[in-house]
């Protein structure tokens, strides 16, 4: 199938004209209740599952042989594990912001895409969540980072940003599961009601937890969802600021920069919007949701992409500025290595993908041209990864002490783990697309019944 | 580690595993995988490796010991052994025949750690890297354990029987065809035995072959004084030191003493500084600490010596620099003449006799003899024949019986190929060696040599004072000492090494023998056995020595041809330490390379041949040729290639085999040297993971000239302001000061630290992946012009910061501060987030990326029981030898006394006293005094970490007249 | 529309969820409780030894001083286990052919050591030192319990880090007068100096006893 050639209208309504409660619910449920999955679904799922298997192998070998199998060394003690963790968390956070923040501000365009965003959050967090444990030299002792019952009267060391990070991550993953599930309940119920008798009905029934749409249940659900959204928004900011603190809190050259926490949040926004675009543009075609995800959605997301890339541009400038302003020899050497040293390709790659290319979106035409959007978003995803590489690896390989300068060479297992988590993420998304309503039907109904006043 | 040597016979490791058949049975019970390995004959070679692994495992299993494990008291407690408390015994290490006193620390009867012997003139309490590595040498699982005959395992009795018939035959023929080949020997007892052997077999001849021989120097003195003499320098008395390719601090028998004397004149805050000029073709230790280092091709050095001799003797003002004469000569000559009687001129042992002769004449005319150095008669009788003659005889079939004592000519002789071949025409050859080495593999009989810690012996130091070597444990393997073997030739009732040594000294010690002998053992050196200065005068005939050329043809040919020079490997000596992992992984002082001996070439030569470090070249010397990687070494003379001797073993053992290239065969070749680049490239493992040439910033390493020091006021570094509370002050406050003026980069401290703290070696592959584990590293900086850089050494270990950045980022509190100012690492709490290392500005933290400790090539018994053996995934670092602090602390607290002096392993080993460790709370402590030195500075003080380890800035004393010429 | 589940399903669902919580809490409780059980700490259980040696008989019965067998307790980190010939100093005279003592005699005859099993054990990364504890007035019983009453030796104290710290944080109560150090019947009496006095007498407060580096290296 091709998504090229289509021209969208940014002033299109958020829902197609001939969309009513019946047809909408029907179409969404039918996707979940299909007997046999689409061909394209299998084509996408098999490689993803294969990559997930690779992840399992990589982790198994890691636990057997230790992190010596990775490229980490002296002085680059942190490698792919941390940089991929940050990368994934950013992607997950982006999803949360779209779903939670814009729910609170009653952005009507978020209604049809929040389910995708939430799934993205969920599986992004899953992919990120495994890294901090794998990263440890003795992963089986990860629980020492929490206070646990022991006969040594020992406590964790609360001054360490890494500790805050572990807890923030734990909170975030737990909360995002709840958030996702709370929003899912009524839709699971509708699927259950439309499923013909048999196993499917019972399974959806169990997960719907007896939601029958009574006014009381609705009241509780709305309250729960609202509260969760209100919680998720600060939580997502906190998780990413704290990830930023992992670096800002250290004395390491290139890391101890006060702007890191907000800087990281901007990064999260950017990669989040990019991934959402990457997901919905093909999906609206494949699941013919064109009249639920219209040009308006795409346009808004494109604008947000542009905005967040500008925020990031500012962060980059400040980074360079503070290095020069601070005048610390180590910082300056590092900046030089990035601008025109051996790390120039990485640095300029990040700038190109995260800042320069998204500027194309100033053109309204390109904002609505889906192939371009796809490519730009893909670029941003790569660019964000490069940025993390820049922060984690290049900083460590250029310590203040010249005699300790080193280099980092990723190994096969580094790449295998990265590819594996990509597989995990995609498999997760595909499974949710297959078995879970891809659009939040109960919110769509609200939208259909009371369409927002058109802002001309 | 290096791969197993596939060319060694299969039986080897098995029988070496301990000689007695019972062992294998026991081992298989204990280690099931052994049985599997044995089932498959191809794997039998692996057995020892497996065992080592298993032993290490059981060692580590201790870390989470199961309840109710074994507790085994002795049947009879040996006298003077208190469980858990160390014992100390003096002995000596013998290298190239010369002794250096050491003291061996025992725990429960196991020799574990070496320290210097303060009473010994050649040690003064210090040791070198070789001595520190002796424990691994002793516990080496590859040591030969069994007599063998023509390459097959045999028994001591069989050898004795064969020898008995030979003895009869030789007696009949007055020992015609009997040759004895040894290394350089100073042992009075063994020399006496050889003499009596030569008396018993008049026709026999004795040949001595030492790879790093000092015969040139002795021949030099013979030219001038008519008799072979040894030189004893007194560097502390010399204001000006001029050295040509010095080996004073590297291979000279007095190196430790010389290093101490030199250091006593290098710190202007503690005394008057001397000035060092070094003229050399390849960087030496002395050259890199010198005030002026002049780089010259080897041939030029000879001309310079000749010119200097003329200039020094001519009463007129020095000749103006002309033609090819280097510009710095005039100033140098002036300096030399200005300091008559306070000058010491020295030439490295590898220089020709002529050069040594001229150097002696220079010293004479500068009135240096008996002022800055003394001459003593060369030690021991001269051998009765030369190696070359021996080789001829062997080919001529005149040698019917060849006895080789602890020497390995088939590897280390220039005629090694030839020697191996010639051995075939010797009907009865015996090799006594530690390993089944290159020579031993080809002799009819091989007898394992007892380690010097397993047998009795004696030896003389550089100044001829005698030490008695006493065994440090019961033999691990069934070996004989050289004296015991020679004894078997002399009489049918062979004596033990103890009897031999005691009998010899009984006849020579005055007074009550037992008392005198025990005194000698306790002190480690025999009272007043040092040689008196020889009363000699230069022969009139010698006034015009036969130099390479006379200064009356001023246009000396300038070297453009490549010249190849040979040096002992700074870590492996002549190759005898090749199977010692600690030494193989010891970064060579200047190039910092490990596991191999790439050819050192100058940047200029590299450019000329488009070479970079790691490129493999084809080195041709006449007909002979060899391929080897190169390493570009700034400070190397442009057309000089330096080859390190000691690698390329094939009979060393599983660690040392197939590492690097053997250059011994080239040492005697005089043909033209050609260098051809090949397509190949191999990775040269170094511990410097970047190749740049930067002067260390003031923040890292402060250095200045003496003039600046004398004029400038010491800028007192202001106390760094801090918002943090300072840590609780305990009864003691530990701190260290490192004198950069004293450090000569000799690496003794690095190995000492490794031995004391159970630091594993990681092997070449892991070093290439930047995962070396040394807690104490010596950073080397090369500043300035790549052709003649100024070099700096800076030992770096944990700074024990008072505001340690590592501590507040550890999420589990595995690294914390204690009341005595130590930054302690609690291994068993570490989960391996490695955040601490990222946050350490000094990058002194090392991480166990792999189960390095399990893979060590050493038995469990050789670990230091006082230090935890770290497991995989755990961070580790210097602890200021906390186990030693704890011992002293308990000692003091027991009697509620203030804690006494604690000496760290690095401090104890250091020949130049560069390290001073101590208690800041003690106003009398030496460390406090050093920290009050105007030179004191803290590394990276901008980080406001308040390190407890500080440095004394490097001061150089260049000749003002030579400003801007070369550092 | 027809109900999919019977009404009992509601009950089921609720109880399953509740049960889940209970199991979780139970596991947490177990996690806390298990390491504190005598079983996990091997408390009170004597284990088979090559010779059923009775401290009760030798110490309480015969009144042999601890240091007769554990001779290095005052000089070294290890208290030391008696060498075979220490046992034989008496048992070459008394119970010379008791079957129980056969292993000891054989050990001496064959010159093969007796292999005992360790009862009071701390992990290898803990460097406990007997010498300093004796020197500072900590009696054997503090860690080894009522040793004089043990017919067969068993572990009487948990010897966990918690246990060590409890004393390192407040050593006073465990200290005794020097005269009573090896007195297995000793009880704190009216004439005993107070903990505070003993602390002063032994100069214990001079040092912070909770530093990691005190026991871990």
């Amino acid at each position: 199938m091709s998504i090229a050639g289509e021209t969208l209208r940014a002033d299109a309504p958020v829902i197609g004209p001939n969309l009513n409660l019946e047809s909408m619910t029907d179409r969404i449920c039918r996707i979940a209740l299909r007997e046999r999955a689409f061909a394209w679904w299998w084509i996408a799922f098999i490689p993803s599952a294969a990559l997930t298997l690779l992840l399992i192998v990589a982790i198994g070998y890691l636990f057997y042989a230790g992190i010596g199998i990775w490229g980490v060394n002296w002085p680059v003690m942190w490698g792919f594990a941390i940089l991929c963790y940050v990368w994934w968390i950013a992607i997950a956070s982006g999803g949360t912001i779209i779903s939670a923040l814009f729910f609170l501000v009653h952005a009507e365009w978020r209604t049809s895409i929040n389910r995708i965003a939430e799934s993205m959050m969920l599986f992004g967090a899953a992919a990120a969540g495994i890294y901090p444990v794998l990263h440890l030299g003795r992963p089986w002792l990860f629980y020492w980072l929490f206070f646990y019952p022991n006969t040594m009267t020992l406590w964790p060391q609360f001054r360490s940003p890494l500790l805050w990070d572990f807890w923030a991550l734990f909170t975030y993953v737990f909360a995002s599961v709840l958030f996702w599930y709370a929003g899912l309940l009524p839709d699971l119920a509708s699927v259950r009601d439309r499923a013909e008798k048999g196993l499917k009905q019972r399974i959806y029934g169990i997960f719907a937890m007896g939601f029958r749409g009574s006014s009381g249940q609705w009241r509780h659900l709305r309250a729960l969802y609202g509260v969760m959204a209100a919680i998720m928004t600060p939580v997502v900011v906190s998780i990413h600021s704290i990830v930023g603190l992992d670096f800002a809190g250290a004395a390491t050259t290139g890391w101890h920069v006060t702007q890191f926490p907000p800087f990281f949040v901007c990064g999260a926004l950017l990669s989040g919007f990019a991934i959402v675009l990457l997901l919905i543009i093909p999906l609206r075609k494949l699941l013919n949701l064109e009249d639920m995800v219209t040009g308006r959605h795409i346009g808004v997301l494109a604008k947000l992409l542009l905005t967040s890339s500008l925020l990031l541009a500012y962060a980059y400038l400040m980074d360079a500025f503070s290095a020069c302003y601070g005048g610390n020899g180590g910082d300056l050497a590092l900046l030089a290595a990035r601008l025109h040293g051996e790390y120039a390709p990485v640095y300029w790659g990040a700038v190109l993908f995260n800042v320069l290319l998204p500027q194309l979106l100033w053109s309204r035409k390109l904002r609505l041209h889906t192939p371009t959007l796809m490519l730009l978003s893909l670029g941003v995803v790569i660019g964000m990864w490069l940025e993390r590489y820049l922060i984690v690896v290049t900083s460590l390989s250029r310590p203040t002490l010249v005699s300790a300068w080193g280099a980092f060479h990723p190994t096969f297992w580094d790449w295998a783990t990265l590819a594996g988590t990509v597989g995990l993420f995609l498999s997760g998304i595909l499974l949710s697309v297959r078995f879970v309503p891809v659009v939040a039907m109960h919110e769509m109904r609200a939208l259909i019944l009371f369409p927002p006043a058109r802002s001309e | 580690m290096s791969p197993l040597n596939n060319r060694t016979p299969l039986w080897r490791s098995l029988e070496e595993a301990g000689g007695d058949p019972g062992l294998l049975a026991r081992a298989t019970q204990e280690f099931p995988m052994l049985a599997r390995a044995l089932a498959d004959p191809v794997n039998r070679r692996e057995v020892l490796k497996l065992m080592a692994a298993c032993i290490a495992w059981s060692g580590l299993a201790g870390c989470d010991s199961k309840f109710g494990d074994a507790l085994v008291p002795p049947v009879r407690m040996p006298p003077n052994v208190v469980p858990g408390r160390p014992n100390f015994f003096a002995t000596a290490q013998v290298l190239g025949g010369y002794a250096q006193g050491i003291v061996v620390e025992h725990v429960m009867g196991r020799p574990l750690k070496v320290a210097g012997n303060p009473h010994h003139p050649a040690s003064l309490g210090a040791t070198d890297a070789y001595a520190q590595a002796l424990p691994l040498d002793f516990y080496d699982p590859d040591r030969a354990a069994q007599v063998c005959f023509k390459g097959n395992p045999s028994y001591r009795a069989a050898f004795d029987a064969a020898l008995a018939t030979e003895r009869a035959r030789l007696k009949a023929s007055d020992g015609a065809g009997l040759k004895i080949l040894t290394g350089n020997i100073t042992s009075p007892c063994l020399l006496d035995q050889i003499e009596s052997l030569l008396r018993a077999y008049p026709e026999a001849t004795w040949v001595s072959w030492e790879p790093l021989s000092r015969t040139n120097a002795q021949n030099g003195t013979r030219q001038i004084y008519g008799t072979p003499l040894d030189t004893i320098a007194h560097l502390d008395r010399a204001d000006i030191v001029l050295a040509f390719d010095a080996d004073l601090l590297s291979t000279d028998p007095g190196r430790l003493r010389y290093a101490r004397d030199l250091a006593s004149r290098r710190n202007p805050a503690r005394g008057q500084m001397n000035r060092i000029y070094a003229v050399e073709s390849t960087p030496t230790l002395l050259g890199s600490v010198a005030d002026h280092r002049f780089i010259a091709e080897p041939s030029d050095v000879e001309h310079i010596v000749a010119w200097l001799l003329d200039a020094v003797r001519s009463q007129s003002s020095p000749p103006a620099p002309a033609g090819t004469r280097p510009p710095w000569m005039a100033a140098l000559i002036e300096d030399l003449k200005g300091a008559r009687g306070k000058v010491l001129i020295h030439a490295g042992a590898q220089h020709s006799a002529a050069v040594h002769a001229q150097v002696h004449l220079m010293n004479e005319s500068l009135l240096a003899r008996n002022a800055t150095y003394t001459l003593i008669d060369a030690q021991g009788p001269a051998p009765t024949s030369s190696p070359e003659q021996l080789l001829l005889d062997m080919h001529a079939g005149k040698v019917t019986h060849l006895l080789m004592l602890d020497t390995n000519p088939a590897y280390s002789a220039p005629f090694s190929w030839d020697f191996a071949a010639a051995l075939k025409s010797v009907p009865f050859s015996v090799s006594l060696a530690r390993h089944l080495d290159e020579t031993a593999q080809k002799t009819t009989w091989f007898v394992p040599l007892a380690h010097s810690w397993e047998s009795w012996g004696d030896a003389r130091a550089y100044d001829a004072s005698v030490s008695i070597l006493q065994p440090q444990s019961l033999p691990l393997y069934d070996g004989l000492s050289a004296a015991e073997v020679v004894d078997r030739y002399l009489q049918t009732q062979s004596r033990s090494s103890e009897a031999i040594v005691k009998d010899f000294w009984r006849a020579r010690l005055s007074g009550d023998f037992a008392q005198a002998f025990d005194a000698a053992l306790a002190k480690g050196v025999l009272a007043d056995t040092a040689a008196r200065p020889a009363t000699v005068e230069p022969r009139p005939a010698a006034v015009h020595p036969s130099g390479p050329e006379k200064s009356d043809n001023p246009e000396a040919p300038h070297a453009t041809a490549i010249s190849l020079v040979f040096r002992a490997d700074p870590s492996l000596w002549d190759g005898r330490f090749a199977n010692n992992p600690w030494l193989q992984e010891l970064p060579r002082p200047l190039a910092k390379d490990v596991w191999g001996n790439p050819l050192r070439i100058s940047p200029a030569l590299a450019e000329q041949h488009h070479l970079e470090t790691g490129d493999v070249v084809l080195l041709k010397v006449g007909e002979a040729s060899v391929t080897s990687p190169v390493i570009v070494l700034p400070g190397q003379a442009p057309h000089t290639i330096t080859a390190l001797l000691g690698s390329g073993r094939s009979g060393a053992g599983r660690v040392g085999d197939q590492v690097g290239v053997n250059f011994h065969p080239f040492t005697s070749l005089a043909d033209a040297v050609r260098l051809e680049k090949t397509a190949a490239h191999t990775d040269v493992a170094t511990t410097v993971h970047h190749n740049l040439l930067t002067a260390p910033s003031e923040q890292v390493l402060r250095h200045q000239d003496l003039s600046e020091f004398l004029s400038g006021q010491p800028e007192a570094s202001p106390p760094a302001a801090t918002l943090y509370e300072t840590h609780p002050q305990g009864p003691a406050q530990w701190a260290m000061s490192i004198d950069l003026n004293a450090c000569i980069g000799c690496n003794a401290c690095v190995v000492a630290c490794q031995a004391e703290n159970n630091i594993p070696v990681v092997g070449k592959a892991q070093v290439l992946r930047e995962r070396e584990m040394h807690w104490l590293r010596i950073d080397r900086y090369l500043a300035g012009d790549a052709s003649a850089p100024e070099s700096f050494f800076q030992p770096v270990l944990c700074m024990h910061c008072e505001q340690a950045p590592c501590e507040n980022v550890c999420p589990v509190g595995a690294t914390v501060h204690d009341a005595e100012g130590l930054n302690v690492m609690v291994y068993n709490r570490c989960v391996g987030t490695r955040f601490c290392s990222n946050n350490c500005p000094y990058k002194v933290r090392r991480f166990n990326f792999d189960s390095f400790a399990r893979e060590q090539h050493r038995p469990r018994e050789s670990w230091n029981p006082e230090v935890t053996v770290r497991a995989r995934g755990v961070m580790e670092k210097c602890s200021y030898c906390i186990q030693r602090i704890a011992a002293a602390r308990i000692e003091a607290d027991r009697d509620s006394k203030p804690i006494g002096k604690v000496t760290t392993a690095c401090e104890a080993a250091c020949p130049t006293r560069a390290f001073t460790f101590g208690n800041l709370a003690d106003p009398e402590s030496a460390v406090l005094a050093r920290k009050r030195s105007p030179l004191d500075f803290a590394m990276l003080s901008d980080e406001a970490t308040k390190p407890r380890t500080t440095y004394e800035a490097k001061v150089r004393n260049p000749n003002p007249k030579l400003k801007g010429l070369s550092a | 529309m027809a109900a999919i589940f019977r009404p009992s399903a509601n009950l089921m669902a609720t109880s399953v969820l509740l049960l889940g919580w209970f199991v979780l809490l139970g596991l947490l409780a177990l996690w806390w409780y298990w390491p504190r059980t005598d079983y996990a700490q091997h408390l009170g259980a004597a284990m088979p030894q090559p010779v059923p040696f009775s401290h009760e008989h030798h110490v309480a019965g015969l009144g042999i001083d601890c240091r007769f067998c554990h001779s290095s307790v005052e000089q070294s980190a290890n208290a030391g286990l008696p060498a075979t010939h220490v046992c034989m100093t008496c048992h070459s005279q008394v119970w010379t052919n008791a079957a129980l003592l056969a292993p000891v005699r054989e050990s001496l005859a064959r010159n093969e050591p007796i292999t005992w099993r360790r009862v009071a054990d701390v992990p290898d990364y803990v460097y406990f030192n007997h010498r300093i504890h004796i020197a500072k007035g900590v009696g054997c019983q503090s860690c080894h319990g009522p040793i004089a009453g043990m017919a067969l030796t068993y572990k009487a104290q948990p010897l966990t880090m918690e246990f060590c710290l409890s004393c390192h944080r407040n050593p006073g109560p465990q200290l005794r007068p020097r005269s009573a150090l090896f007195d297995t019947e000793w009880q704190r009496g009216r004439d005993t100096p107070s903990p505070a006095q003993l602390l002063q007498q032994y100069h214990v407060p001079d040092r912070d006893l909770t530093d990691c580096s005190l026991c871990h290296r």
Side-chain angles (χ1 to χ4, degrees), chain B residues 71 73, chain C residues 47-53 81 99-104 107 113-118 152:
Chain B
L71 207 56
Chain C
M47 66 180 110
Q49 300 281 9
V51 179
F53 177 85
L81 228 57
L100 279 179
L101 298 177
V104 184
S107 157
I114 310 175
T115 304
W116 301 89
R117 293 185 66 195
R118 189 187 294 272
L152 287 176

Side-chain angles (χ1 to χ4, degrees), chain A residues 70 77-78 138 160 251 403, chain B residues 769 771 779 809 830 834 839:
Chain A
W70 287 345
M77 289 273 178
W78 284 5
R138 302 201 287 174
S160 168
S403 67
Chain B
R769 297 181 68 179
R771 291 169 176 183
D779 282 348
V809 296
C830 178
R834 319 194 284 296
N839 225 31

Side-chain angles (χ1 to χ4, degrees), chain B residues 739-918:
Chain B
D739 183 357
L740 296 179
N741 298 298
C743 181
I744 56 171
C746 71
N747 276 335
C749 51
V750 179
V751 186
C753 179
Q754 197 155 22
E756 172 74 15
N757 293 304
N758 293 338
I759 300 170
V761 296
V762 298
K764 181 175 187 177
Q766 293 290 329
V767 173
L768 284 169
R769 297 181 68 179
E770 307 175 24
R771 291 169 176 183
E772 61 271 13
M773 294 297 287
H774 293 133
W775 285 4
L776 166 53
R777 65 177 196 266
I778 300 183
D779 282 348
R780 169 226 62 180
Y781 294 93
L782 297 175
D785 175 14
S787 63
E790 188 181 7
S791 50
F792 302 90
F793 294 120
Q794 183 176 38
V796 180
L797 55 151
C798 178
M799 300 283 151
H800 292 271
C801 314
E802 286 175 10
Q803 300 296 345
C806 50
E807 286 169 10
N808 43 26
V809 296
C810 176
V812 292
T815 181
V816 292
H817 230 75
D818 81 356
E820 303 192 335
L822 296 177
N823 165 251
V824 297
M825 183 72 213
V826 190
Y827 304 119
N828 46 299
R829 179 66 177 167
C830 178
V831 296
T833 68
R834 319 194 284 296
F835 204 166
C836 51
S837 170
N838 294 348
N839 225 31
C840 174
Y842 310 96
K843 291 285 172 281
V844 292
R845 292 176 158 267
R846 302 296 196 178
F847 186 70
N848 290 276
F849 285 97
D850 207 339
S851 313
F852 296 129
R854 281 185 187 172
E855 296 152 6
Q856 294 307 291
H857 188 75
R858 60 193 288 191
R860 176 188 187 180
E861 291 68 20
S862 63
W863 296 99
N864 178 357
E866 293 303 308
V867 179
T868 309
V869 175
R870 283 81 59 187
R872 188 183 86 197
V874 171
M875 189 64 71
E876 60 184 72
K877 67 158 191 78
C878 160
S879 67
Y880 271 168
C881 286
I882 190 165
Q883 62 281 8
R884 294 181 176 212
I885 296 175
R889 183 164 51 202
I890 286 165
E891 196 63 35
D893 285 5
R894 185 173 157 277
D895 319 329
S896 309
K897 287 211 201 70
I899 190 161
K901 167 79 177 135
V902 175
T903 309
T904 61
C906 47
E907 181 185 18
C910 180
T912 63
R913 292 265 186 272
F915 299 86
T916 307
F917 178 77

Side-chain angles (χ1 to χ4, degrees), chain A residues 32-77:
Chain A
L33 289 170
R34 277 176 71 98
E35 276 311 320
R36 303 178 60 258
F38 306 93
W40 63 261
W41 190 88
W42 283 112
I43 293 168
F45 183 73
I46 288 166
S48 314
L51 285 177
T52 318
L53 276 178
L54 177 62
L55 177 65
I56 292 163
V57 175
I59 293 178
Y61 184 53
L62 177 75
F63 283 176
Y64 167 73
I67 61 169
I69 65 172
W70 287 345
V72 281
N73 62 26
W74 176 92
V76 187
M77 289 273 178

